[in-house]
Amino acid sequence: MMDWSKEIEKLKKEKNAVILAHNYELPEVQDIADFVGDSLGLSIEASKTDAQVIVFCGVFFMAETAKILSPQKVVLIPEPEAGCPMADMISASQLLDLQKRYPEAATLCYVNTKAEVKAECDFCCTSANATEVVEKGLSSASSIIFVPDQYLANYVSRKTGREFITWPGYCPVHAAISEKDIERAKKLHPHAEVLVHPECRPEVTEKADQVLSTEGMCRYIKSSPQDEFIVGTEVGILHRLQKENPAKHFYPVSEEAICPDMKKINQEKIALALQDMKYQVELPEKIIQKAARSIERMLQFT
Ligand code: 13P
Ligand code: SF4
């Protein structure tokens, strides 16, 4: 069997490439990545890397964000069909129609959106900084459109006391996690702390001890004296959690919380991407310029 990791190491040097991977990617991808993180961490890493080529192992909107922040670099996504169903739930023209109905409102978009949507927004946010962006960046806005995740908007609204004009978008993976799943996991592991992602439904986030982005979970668990955790997000994160905290115990809220799009990239596809310099993320110059404003505004608060 081919040892793809050796091939990837060789090609990375030849092409001056860096490999970025999201916390939900397959273990074999996380293990060869130069950086593993959440949407925010990956955006920051993409904006400051010295490498000429960024191999982005995540879903398409994440690779687009890397391209927007580093337009002069080559950004490769080893599997161009790795999309995000939530990001596909709103288009730029749908957002423009909503903005026409609320001309006074500022627009905040979750990073899980297409580049064309980011280009029409005032601010971008991730699950790690949404509250901060609303409190610091949008404190003077009379009203705020927050798209596309209705559940993230609901969570940030409870945290900040602000009401949002929302969109009925959601993540199918997190929305499938139920209150019953939490109750079952708590019964099985009564001493464990419950951590969930803010893309979960309100009845789920209300039952959690902590509501955190994926990187927030990694950080929290590392510094916690607790040694048992019920994890309410996509199960791919358990690989990193177990690797970083070998003495701690992790229980997924639901074994079925699997994002199929985050499992589409593997070592072979990364090696082929580097060999053939495919698939390159390309965006119109105008979209890059407009979308960069909303992302850079977000990065000021992080
Ligand atoms: P994070 O930014 O918390 O990693 O979340 C990204 C995502 O797609 C969650 O489903
Ligand atoms: Fe999109 Fe949900 Fe998959 Fe994250 S887990 S990439 S929000 S579908």
mmCIF file of all heavy atoms in Angstrom, residues 45-86:
data_model
loop_
_atom_site.group_PDB
_atom_site.id
_atom_site.type_symbol
_atom_site.label_atom_id
_atom_site.label_comp_id
_atom_site.label_asym_id
_atom_site.label_seq_id
_atom_site.Cartn_x
_atom_site.Cartn_y
_atom_site.Cartn_z
ATOM 1 N N GLU A 45 -4.801 31.583 10.362
ATOM 2 C CA GLU A 45 -3.622 30.879 9.853
ATOM 3 C C GLU A 45 -3.445 31.154 8.344
ATOM 4 O O GLU A 45 -2.338 31.415 7.885
ATOM 5 C CB GLU A 45 -3.837 29.380 10.102
ATOM 6 C CG GLU A 45 -2.615 28.577 10.364
ATOM 7 C CD GLU A 45 -1.699 29.086 11.459
ATOM 8 O OE1 GLU A 45 -2.173 29.612 12.484
ATOM 9 O OE2 GLU A 45 -0.469 28.947 11.261
ATOM 10 N N ALA A 46 -4.551 31.115 7.597
ATOM 11 C CA ALA A 46 -4.489 31.370 6.152
ATOM 12 C C ALA A 46 -4.009 32.788 5.885
ATOM 13 O O ALA A 46 -3.295 33.034 4.904
ATOM 14 C CB ALA A 46 -5.862 31.149 5.520
ATOM 15 N N SER A 47 -4.372 33.739 6.768
ATOM 16 C CA SER A 47 -4.004 35.133 6.506
ATOM 17 C C SER A 47 -2.536 35.394 6.817
ATOM 18 O O SER A 47 -1.956 36.329 6.309
ATOM 19 C CB SER A 47 -4.905 36.083 7.311
ATOM 20 O OG SER A 47 -4.609 35.974 8.681
ATOM 21 N N LYS A 48 -1.909 34.549 7.653
ATOM 22 C CA LYS A 48 -0.528 34.874 8.031
ATOM 23 C C LYS A 48 0.544 33.892 7.544
ATOM 24 O O LYS A 48 1.721 34.104 7.801
ATOM 25 C CB LYS A 48 -0.438 35.091 9.545
ATOM 26 C CG LYS A 48 -0.750 33.879 10.374
ATOM 27 C CD LYS A 48 -0.550 34.167 11.851
ATOM 28 C CE LYS A 48 -0.297 32.876 12.594
ATOM 29 N NZ LYS A 48 -0.629 32.883 13.988
ATOM 30 N N THR A 49 0.138 32.864 6.841
ATOM 31 C CA THR A 49 1.149 31.886 6.419
ATOM 32 C C THR A 49 2.130 32.465 5.366
ATOM 33 O O THR A 49 1.743 33.297 4.547
ATOM 34 C CB THR A 49 0.485 30.601 5.839
ATOM 35 O OG1 THR A 49 1.515 29.725 5.427
ATOM 36 C CG2 THR A 49 -0.414 30.888 4.653
ATOM 37 N N ASP A 50 3.386 31.999 5.425
ATOM 38 C CA ASP A 50 4.383 32.417 4.435
ATOM 39 C C ASP A 50 4.392 31.482 3.226
ATOM 40 O O ASP A 50 5.040 31.757 2.225
ATOM 41 C CB ASP A 50 5.801 32.362 5.051
ATOM 42 C CG ASP A 50 5.971 33.430 6.112
ATOM 43 O OD1 ASP A 50 5.315 34.484 5.972
ATOM 44 O OD2 ASP A 50 6.729 33.198 7.073
ATOM 45 N N ALA A 51 3.705 30.348 3.359
ATOM 46 C CA ALA A 51 3.715 29.366 2.265
ATOM 47 C C ALA A 51 3.058 29.956 1.013
ATOM 48 O O ALA A 51 2.187 30.819 1.113
ATOM 49 C CB ALA A 51 2.967 28.113 2.703
ATOM 50 N N GLN A 52 3.476 29.460 -0.127
ATOM 51 C CA GLN A 52 2.916 29.945 -1.402
ATOM 52 C C GLN A 52 1.611 29.240 -1.756
ATOM 53 O O GLN A 52 0.775 29.756 -2.476
ATOM 54 C CB GLN A 52 3.933 29.692 -2.532
ATOM 55 C CG GLN A 52 4.753 30.912 -2.903
ATOM 56 C CD GLN A 52 3.912 32.194 -2.934
ATOM 57 O OE1 GLN A 52 2.987 32.314 -3.719
ATOM 58 N NE2 GLN A 52 4.216 33.161 -2.053
ATOM 59 N N VAL A 53 1.473 28.016 -1.219
ATOM 60 C CA VAL A 53 0.307 27.188 -1.552
ATOM 61 C C VAL A 53 -0.384 26.778 -0.249
ATOM 62 O O VAL A 53 0.276 26.319 0.687
ATOM 63 C CB VAL A 53 0.751 25.916 -2.329
ATOM 64 C CG1 VAL A 53 -0.425 25.005 -2.622
ATOM 65 C CG2 VAL A 53 1.471 26.307 -3.624
ATOM 66 N N ILE A 54 -1.700 26.966 -0.207
ATOM 67 C CA ILE A 54 -2.476 26.525 0.969
ATOM 68 C C ILE A 54 -3.331 25.340 0.514
ATOM 69 O O ILE A 54 -4.144 25.482 -0.401
ATOM 70 C CB ILE A 54 -3.393 27.652 1.495
ATOM 71 C CG1 ILE A 54 -2.562 28.868 1.960
ATOM 72 C CG2 ILE A 54 -4.289 27.144 2.625
ATOM 73 C CD1 ILE A 54 -3.397 30.098 2.318
ATOM 74 N N VAL A 55 -3.125 24.188 1.143
ATOM 75 C CA VAL A 55 -3.999 23.044 0.854
ATOM 76 C C VAL A 55 -5.047 23.051 1.952
ATOM 77 O O VAL A 55 -4.735 22.831 3.127
ATOM 78 C CB VAL A 55 -3.226 21.707 0.858
ATOM 79 C CG1 VAL A 55 -4.166 20.559 0.499
ATOM 80 C CG2 VAL A 55 -2.050 21.768 -0.105
ATOM 81 N N PHE A 56 -6.284 23.321 1.567
ATOM 82 C CA PHE A 56 -7.314 23.494 2.572
ATOM 83 C C PHE A 56 -8.164 22.237 2.709
ATOM 84 O O PHE A 56 -8.891 21.860 1.795
ATOM 85 C CB PHE A 56 -8.206 24.697 2.217
ATOM 86 C CG PHE A 56 -8.796 25.276 3.461
ATOM 87 C CD1 PHE A 56 -8.334 26.469 3.983
ATOM 88 C CD2 PHE A 56 -9.771 24.579 4.161
ATOM 89 C CE1 PHE A 56 -8.834 26.961 5.182
ATOM 90 C CE2 PHE A 56 -10.271 25.057 5.350
ATOM 91 C CZ PHE A 56 -9.819 26.256 5.851
ATOM 92 N N CYS A 57 -8.064 21.601 3.871
ATOM 93 C CA CYS A 57 -8.846 20.388 4.120
ATOM 94 C C CYS A 57 -10.007 20.761 5.033
ATOM 95 O O CYS A 57 -9.856 20.847 6.257
ATOM 96 C CB CYS A 57 -7.974 19.310 4.764
ATOM 97 S SG CYS A 57 -6.522 18.949 3.769
ATOM 98 N N GLY A 58 -11.114 21.004 4.384
ATOM 99 C CA GLY A 58 -12.321 21.422 5.097
ATOM 100 C C GLY A 58 -13.410 21.486 4.061
ATOM 101 O O GLY A 58 -13.340 20.773 3.047
ATOM 102 N N VAL A 59 -14.405 22.343 4.268
ATOM 103 C CA VAL A 59 -15.458 22.467 3.257
ATOM 104 C C VAL A 59 -15.242 23.749 2.444
ATOM 105 O O VAL A 59 -14.447 24.606 2.821
ATOM 106 C CB VAL A 59 -16.869 22.366 3.875
ATOM 107 C CG1 VAL A 59 -17.128 20.948 4.361
ATOM 108 C CG2 VAL A 59 -17.068 23.364 4.991
ATOM 109 N N PHE A 60 -15.984 23.851 1.330
ATOM 110 C CA PHE A 60 -15.645 24.843 0.317
ATOM 111 C C PHE A 60 -15.631 26.285 0.818
ATOM 112 O O PHE A 60 -14.736 27.063 0.470
ATOM 113 C CB PHE A 60 -16.593 24.698 -0.894
ATOM 114 C CG PHE A 60 -15.994 25.246 -2.145
ATOM 115 C CD1 PHE A 60 -15.053 24.525 -2.849
ATOM 116 C CD2 PHE A 60 -16.344 26.507 -2.593
ATOM 117 C CE1 PHE A 60 -14.461 25.043 -4.000
ATOM 118 C CE2 PHE A 60 -15.761 27.037 -3.739
ATOM 119 C CZ PHE A 60 -14.815 26.301 -4.438
ATOM 120 N N PHE A 61 -16.605 26.642 1.682
ATOM 121 C CA PHE A 61 -16.617 28.051 2.105
ATOM 122 C C PHE A 61 -15.343 28.390 2.882
ATOM 123 O O PHE A 61 -14.908 29.540 2.899
ATOM 124 C CB PHE A 61 -17.887 28.372 2.925
ATOM 125 C CG PHE A 61 -17.880 27.878 4.350
ATOM 126 C CD1 PHE A 61 -17.208 28.572 5.353
ATOM 127 C CD2 PHE A 61 -18.549 26.713 4.698
ATOM 128 C CE1 PHE A 61 -17.193 28.114 6.660
ATOM 129 C CE2 PHE A 61 -18.539 26.247 6.008
ATOM 130 C CZ PHE A 61 -17.863 26.953 6.994
ATOM 131 N N MET A 62 -14.759 27.419 3.544
ATOM 132 C CA MET A 62 -13.533 27.654 4.318
ATOM 133 C C MET A 62 -12.356 27.914 3.371
ATOM 134 O O MET A 62 -11.528 28.793 3.613
ATOM 135 C CB MET A 62 -13.227 26.457 5.224
ATOM 136 C CG MET A 62 -14.290 26.211 6.278
ATOM 137 S SD MET A 62 -13.883 24.777 7.292
ATOM 138 C CE MET A 62 -15.246 24.820 8.452
ATOM 139 N N ALA A 63 -12.294 27.130 2.296
ATOM 140 C CA ALA A 63 -11.223 27.336 1.307
ATOM 141 C C ALA A 63 -11.407 28.684 0.617
ATOM 142 O O ALA A 63 -10.433 29.394 0.338
ATOM 143 C CB ALA A 63 -11.239 26.188 0.293
ATOM 144 N N GLU A 64 -12.661 29.061 0.372
ATOM 145 C CA GLU A 64 -12.926 30.383 -0.227
ATOM 146 C C GLU A 64 -12.442 31.495 0.715
ATOM 147 O O GLU A 64 -11.852 32.483 0.265
ATOM 148 C CB GLU A 64 -14.432 30.575 -0.447
ATOM 149 C CG GLU A 64 -14.960 29.962 -1.704
ATOM 150 C CD GLU A 64 -16.427 30.334 -1.961
ATOM 151 O OE1 GLU A 64 -17.142 30.742 -1.021
ATOM 152 O OE2 GLU A 64 -16.855 30.204 -3.108
ATOM 153 N N THR A 65 -12.688 31.316 2.014
ATOM 154 C CA THR A 65 -12.258 32.335 2.990
ATOM 155 C C THR A 65 -10.740 32.486 2.953
ATOM 156 O O THR A 65 -10.205 33.601 2.999
ATOM 157 C CB THR A 65 -12.749 31.947 4.411
ATOM 158 O OG1 THR A 65 -14.158 31.723 4.341
ATOM 159 C CG2 THR A 65 -12.455 33.034 5.432
ATOM 160 N N ALA A 66 -10.040 31.354 2.836
ATOM 161 C CA ALA A 66 -8.570 31.403 2.742
ATOM 162 C C ALA A 66 -8.143 32.178 1.494
ATOM 163 O O ALA A 66 -7.226 32.998 1.536
ATOM 164 C CB ALA A 66 -7.999 29.988 2.721
ATOM 165 N N LYS A 67 -8.840 31.949 0.391
ATOM 166 C CA LYS A 67 -8.503 32.632 -0.869
ATOM 167 C C LYS A 67 -8.770 34.138 -0.743
ATOM 168 O O LYS A 67 -7.975 34.962 -1.206
ATOM 169 C CB LYS A 67 -9.330 32.039 -2.021
ATOM 170 C CG LYS A 67 -9.029 32.628 -3.378
ATOM 171 C CD LYS A 67 -7.637 32.248 -3.860
ATOM 172 C CE LYS A 67 -7.255 32.923 -5.161
ATOM 173 N NZ LYS A 67 -5.874 32.640 -5.552
ATOM 174 N N ILE A 68 -9.861 34.490 -0.076
ATOM 175 C CA ILE A 68 -10.209 35.911 0.092
ATOM 176 C C ILE A 68 -9.116 36.610 0.923
ATOM 177 O O ILE A 68 -8.745 37.746 0.641
ATOM 178 C CB ILE A 68 -11.598 36.050 0.770
ATOM 179 C CG1 ILE A 68 -12.685 35.523 -0.184
ATOM 180 C CG2 ILE A 68 -11.887 37.489 1.182
ATOM 181 C CD1 ILE A 68 -14.024 35.223 0.493
ATOM 182 N N LEU A 69 -8.601 35.902 1.919
ATOM 183 C CA LEU A 69 -7.585 36.517 2.791
ATOM 184 C C LEU A 69 -6.183 36.473 2.189
ATOM 185 O O LEU A 69 -5.314 37.233 2.582
ATOM 186 C CB LEU A 69 -7.588 35.828 4.161
ATOM 187 C CG LEU A 69 -8.830 36.143 5.004
ATOM 188 C CD1 LEU A 69 -8.900 35.223 6.211
ATOM 189 C CD2 LEU A 69 -8.826 37.599 5.457
ATOM 190 N N SER A 70 -5.959 35.571 1.255
ATOM 191 C CA SER A 70 -4.637 35.458 0.612
ATOM 192 C C SER A 70 -4.809 35.326 -0.891
ATOM 193 O O SER A 70 -4.471 34.287 -1.480
ATOM 194 C CB SER A 70 -3.900 34.218 1.136
ATOM 195 O OG SER A 70 -3.684 34.302 2.500
ATOM 196 N N PRO A 71 -5.341 36.366 -1.553
ATOM 197 C CA PRO A 71 -5.668 36.217 -2.979
ATOM 198 C C PRO A 71 -4.454 35.957 -3.867
ATOM 199 O O PRO A 71 -4.583 35.400 -4.954
ATOM 200 C CB PRO A 71 -6.339 37.555 -3.334
ATOM 201 C CG PRO A 71 -6.032 38.490 -2.222
ATOM 202 C CD PRO A 71 -5.699 37.687 -1.013
ATOM 203 N N GLN A 72 -3.255 36.347 -3.387
ATOM 204 C CA GLN A 72 -2.051 36.159 -4.200
ATOM 205 C C GLN A 72 -1.524 34.719 -4.102
ATOM 206 O O GLN A 72 -0.644 34.325 -4.859
ATOM 207 C CB GLN A 72 -0.972 37.180 -3.789
ATOM 208 C CG GLN A 72 -0.288 36.967 -2.456
ATOM 209 C CD GLN A 72 -1.175 37.140 -1.200
ATOM 210 O OE1 GLN A 72 -2.344 37.541 -1.267
ATOM 211 N NE2 GLN A 72 -0.633 36.815 -0.045
ATOM 212 N N LYS A 73 -2.090 33.942 -3.171
ATOM 213 C CA LYS A 73 -1.610 32.561 -3.005
ATOM 214 C C LYS A 73 -2.479 31.576 -3.772
ATOM 215 O O LYS A 73 -3.616 31.890 -4.119
ATOM 216 C CB LYS A 73 -1.648 32.196 -1.518
ATOM 217 C CG LYS A 73 -0.779 33.150 -0.726
ATOM 218 C CD LYS A 73 -0.244 32.558 0.515
ATOM 219 C CE LYS A 73 0.888 33.467 0.958
ATOM 220 N NZ LYS A 73 0.849 33.783 2.347
ATOM 221 N N VAL A 74 -1.916 30.399 -3.983
ATOM 222 C CA VAL A 74 -2.703 29.331 -4.598
ATOM 223 C C VAL A 74 -3.401 28.592 -3.462
ATOM 224 O O VAL A 74 -2.740 28.129 -2.521
ATOM 225 C CB VAL A 74 -1.787 28.354 -5.379
ATOM 226 C CG1 VAL A 74 -2.588 27.173 -5.909
ATOM 227 C CG2 VAL A 74 -1.079 29.088 -6.516
ATOM 228 N N VAL A 75 -4.734 28.520 -3.529
ATOM 229 C CA VAL A 75 -5.479 27.767 -2.512
ATOM 230 C C VAL A 75 -6.071 26.531 -3.185
ATOM 231 O O VAL A 75 -6.811 26.640 -4.161
ATOM 232 C CB VAL A 75 -6.599 28.621 -1.866
ATOM 233 C CG1 VAL A 75 -7.401 27.780 -0.868
ATOM 234 C CG2 VAL A 75 -6.003 29.847 -1.172
ATOM 235 N N LEU A 76 -5.701 25.367 -2.659
ATOM 236 C CA LEU A 76 -6.199 24.106 -3.228
ATOM 237 C C LEU A 76 -7.171 23.460 -2.262
ATOM 238 O O LEU A 76 -6.926 23.452 -1.049
ATOM 239 C CB LEU A 76 -5.032 23.121 -3.441
ATOM 240 C CG LEU A 76 -3.843 23.590 -4.279
ATOM 241 C CD1 LEU A 76 -2.770 22.486 -4.307
ATOM 242 C CD2 LEU A 76 -4.284 23.927 -5.704
ATOM 243 N N ILE A 77 -8.263 22.925 -2.797
ATOM 244 C CA ILE A 77 -9.140 22.077 -1.987
ATOM 245 C C ILE A 77 -9.094 20.683 -2.627
ATOM 246 O O ILE A 77 -9.437 20.516 -3.806
ATOM 247 C CB ILE A 77 -10.573 22.656 -1.824
ATOM 248 C CG1 ILE A 77 -11.428 21.737 -0.942
ATOM 249 C CG2 ILE A 77 -11.258 22.934 -3.162
ATOM 250 C CD1 ILE A 77 -12.624 22.404 -0.281
ATOM 251 N N PRO A 78 -8.609 19.681 -1.904
ATOM 252 C CA PRO A 78 -8.415 18.358 -2.519
ATOM 253 C C PRO A 78 -9.705 17.700 -3.001
ATOM 254 O O PRO A 78 -9.654 16.786 -3.816
ATOM 255 C CB PRO A 78 -7.757 17.539 -1.398
ATOM 256 C CG PRO A 78 -7.152 18.564 -0.489
ATOM 257 C CD PRO A 78 -8.055 19.753 -0.542
ATOM 258 N N GLU A 79 -10.856 18.136 -2.488
ATOM 259 C CA GLU A 79 -12.140 17.583 -2.948
ATOM 260 C C GLU A 79 -13.123 18.755 -3.119
ATOM 261 O O GLU A 79 -13.689 19.246 -2.132
ATOM 262 C CB GLU A 79 -12.672 16.561 -1.923
ATOM 263 C CG GLU A 79 -14.055 16.040 -2.212
ATOM 264 C CD GLU A 79 -14.253 15.578 -3.637
ATOM 265 O OE1 GLU A 79 -13.718 14.537 -4.001
ATOM 266 O OE2 GLU A 79 -14.964 16.276 -4.417
ATOM 267 N N PRO A 80 -13.310 19.193 -4.361
ATOM 268 C CA PRO A 80 -14.152 20.385 -4.570
ATOM 269 C C PRO A 80 -15.624 20.172 -4.264
ATOM 270 O O PRO A 80 -16.380 21.124 -4.135
ATOM 271 C CB PRO A 80 -13.942 20.701 -6.061
ATOM 272 C CG PRO A 80 -13.513 19.422 -6.667
ATOM 273 C CD PRO A 80 -12.783 18.660 -5.624
ATOM 274 N N GLU A 81 -16.027 18.901 -4.143
ATOM 275 C CA GLU A 81 -17.439 18.611 -3.821
ATOM 276 C C GLU A 81 -17.703 18.661 -2.317
ATOM 277 O O GLU A 81 -18.815 18.380 -1.875
ATOM 278 C CB GLU A 81 -17.825 17.210 -4.335
ATOM 279 C CG GLU A 81 -17.761 17.053 -5.843
ATOM 280 C CD GLU A 81 -18.794 17.910 -6.561
ATOM 281 O OE1 GLU A 81 -19.945 17.950 -6.102
ATOM 282 O OE2 GLU A 81 -18.434 18.541 -7.579
ATOM 283 N N ALA A 82 -16.688 18.972 -1.520
ATOM 284 C CA ALA A 82 -16.911 19.070 -0.069
ATOM 285 C C ALA A 82 -17.567 20.428 0.219
ATOM 286 O O ALA A 82 -16.902 21.452 0.272
ATOM 287 C CB ALA A 82 -15.575 18.933 0.674
ATOM 288 N N GLY A 83 -18.865 20.397 0.344
ATOM 289 C CA GLY A 83 -19.609 21.650 0.562
ATOM 290 C C GLY A 83 -20.193 21.704 1.954
ATOM 291 O O GLY A 83 -19.966 20.813 2.777
ATOM 292 N N CYS A 84 -20.954 22.752 2.234
ATOM 293 C CA CYS A 84 -21.639 22.857 3.527
ATOM 294 C C CYS A 84 -23.110 23.152 3.234
ATOM 295 O O CYS A 84 -23.428 24.213 2.687
ATOM 296 C CB CYS A 84 -21.026 23.979 4.363
ATOM 297 S SG CYS A 84 -22.045 24.428 5.794
ATOM 298 N N PRO A 85 -24.001 22.218 3.566
ATOM 299 C CA PRO A 85 -25.422 22.434 3.285
ATOM 300 C C PRO A 85 -25.959 23.734 3.888
ATOM 301 O O PRO A 85 -26.792 24.389 3.279
ATOM 302 C CB PRO A 85 -26.111 21.215 3.907
ATOM 303 C CG PRO A 85 -25.049 20.183 4.029
ATOM 304 C CD PRO A 85 -23.737 20.895 4.154
ATOM 305 N N MET A 86 -25.455 24.114 5.058
ATOM 306 C CA MET A 86 -25.947 25.380 5.628
ATOM 307 C C MET A 86 -25.538 26.570 4.757
ATOM 308 O O MET A 86 -26.345 27.475 4.512
ATOM 309 C CB MET A 86 -25.417 25.583 7.048
ATOM 310 C CG MET A 86 -25.637 27.013 7.485
ATOM 311 S SD MET A 86 -25.741 27.386 9.200
ATOM 312 C CE MET A 86 -24.513 26.495 9.994
#
